Amino acid sequence: MLLKYKYKLKPCKRQAVIIANWLSMARRQYNYRLAERLNWFEATRTPVNACPLNVSVVPVERIYQNIPEFRVQTRDGRKKDSNGKLITKKGDKHPNIVNGYVLWETVQLADLAQTKKLFPEYKSMHSQVLQDVIQRVQTTMDNFTKPDKNSKTSGRPKFKGKHYYNSFSYPQLSNNNIVKNADGRYCVNLPKIGLISFVYNRPIPVGFKVKTGTVIREADGYYISFTIEDKTVPLRHAEIQPTEDNSKGIDLGLLHYTVTSDGEFIEVPKFFRLSENRLSKLQVRLAKKSKHSKPWKILKRKIARLHQLITRQRLDWQFKLAYHLFSDVSVIFIEGLQIANLVRRCKAKLGDNGQFLPNGQSAKSGLNKSLQDAAFGQFIQILEYVAWKLGKRVIKVDPKGTSQHCWECLSKVPKSLSERWHSCSICGQELDRDYNSALLIQKIGLLSTQEEDITSVKTAVRADLAEESRALP
């Protein structure tokens, strides 16, 4: 099992300067190595409608310019075969180009020695911290060029500005790096930085070993995030058969944050909305200051701290809500919302003369702000994490039609977004719209776990109609 524990660092002035310098150097190295990868990527691509079939797009000499064909191993490897012999030895040659593809991670890792000769300040950085920068570039390019399990790729990688590269990692740390200094304070021993005291507010669990450490810069200082592992603890997900007694359905919304199938209504906290006025005043003052002046930097720091406060308030509240929802049940049914679709901009409307017509985006902007403030996507992730931690279960239900059908008879009751009351003329149900949705989500969730062919409201309605037709004489 892998976990992450985060602690507040308390560096002295000298250590804070070193950390800031390392972040700056790591950012420059990241941007340079990313530029190498993107330049090679673009040089070997051409539009699909102009691709030659019998020759290379770019001369071969230019494609592999300044890339050595082989690299020579400078030390014996650590891995051994079944006979106890070293798999790789000093002096072995390894190709940098395989089937026409450049092994960029290997090439760039080998080029770090030349970087240290050209820029001696990089010698002050720990070698593994510098190597981790190359691995980050490799991960970024893999996400860009290789599709994931859903056949999707991330966008084109961007260069990192000063405020967008905020961490560096030690790939190899251990429990021995956490020690007490002469004053009895807990410290973490970071190579080439020294002993840094930190707030050891929760101990590493017994049996877990520290694997990596990431130093992170935030608005209120520096933090360190330890990755800890215990291979003896299995990573299991609870297999609980849901019933009406041990489960509940919850409906997410902006009028009430959650409405549960047992009749509990929880209001929306609106953390961003409550701080919006204060935030806007600070931003107005910031706009009047000279850029990069001392007053400008002070206001920037205040705005960053306020954003951090809003984020932490929301995160803390969502964790408390997740534990509260699981206090009396073992299974929660929730809508599988597509957040990106909810906050998508309205399509532009063009008139006959080519001018843009009103499309309702101004009103949608306010709705989008409230959706982002509610952070439903983050809450669903927290709910799944809390369920895993407690040995309980979260089951997602298709959200289509959950607000337009009656939970009792499954008949369709069309409602606009402004209509907040559900009134069914078929079975006579009269209740709040969101409460009806929560009851329907629980019902569909229970049906989906009992019958394989029911996965949504649509399939449940179809199955109900088929059952009624069979009952007719």
Side-chain angles (χ1 to χ4, degrees), residues 72-102:
V72 179
Q73 190 164 328
T74 57
R75 66 179 71 178
D76 291 339
R78 296 182 180 180
K79 295 183 179 180
K80 298 180 180 180
D81 57 16
S82 57
N83 298 324
K85 295 182 180 179
L86 293 173
I87 297 176
T88 57
K89 298 180 181 179
K90 182 179 179 179
D92 289 351
K93 284 188 175 183
H94 303 282
N96 286 328
I97 303 170
V98 178
N99 297 328
Y101 290 94
V102 178

Side-chain angles (χ1 to χ4, degrees), residues 406-408 413 420-433 435-436 439:
C406 177
W407 79 273
E408 180 68 33
V413 184
R420 308 310 304 174
W421 191 256
H422 171 80
S423 180
C424 181
S425 59
I426 306 298
C427 64
Q429 284 288 327
E430 296 279 344
L431 69 166
D432 185 87
R433 170 199 181 119
Y435 184 30
N436 171 76
L439 290 167

Side-chain angles (χ1 to χ4, degrees), residues 252-254 257 318 334-345 364 367-368 370-381 396 399:
L252 301 176
L254 295 179
Y257 195 85
Q318 288 179 338
I334 193 169
E335 299 169 291
L337 298 174
Q338 297 293 329
I339 308 299
N341 294 338
L342 291 176
V343 297
R344 186 173 294 168
R345 291 180 62 86
K364 183 70 166 59
L367 180 64
N368 287 352
S370 296
L371 287 169
Q372 297 284 14
D373 188 17
F376 292 134
Q378 177 178 276
F379 176 66
I380 292 172
Q381 289 180 346
K396 292 183 179 179

Side-chain angles (χ1 to χ4, degrees), residues 4-16:
K4 285 193 175 182
Y5 275 30
K6 189 175 178 181
Y7 302 95
K8 181 78 163 66
L9 288 176
K10 297 286 187 177
C12 64
K13 289 185 178 180
R14 180 188 64 84
Q15 292 168 337

Side-chain angles (χ1 to χ4, degrees), residues 104 121 183 201 271 367 412 414 430:
W104 273 107
E121 62 268 21
D183 299 329
N201 55 314
F271 293 110
L367 180 64
K412 189 169 184 178
E430 296 279 344

Side-chain angles (χ1 to χ4, degrees), residues 33-43 141 144 156-159:
R33 298 301 176 181
L34 182 60
E36 279 187 329
R37 298 293 300 271
L38 291 177
N39 289 340
W40 188 86
F41 181 84
E42 293 169 356
M141 289 302 298
F144 174 49
R156 187 179 187 274
K158 297 180 180 180
F159 298 110

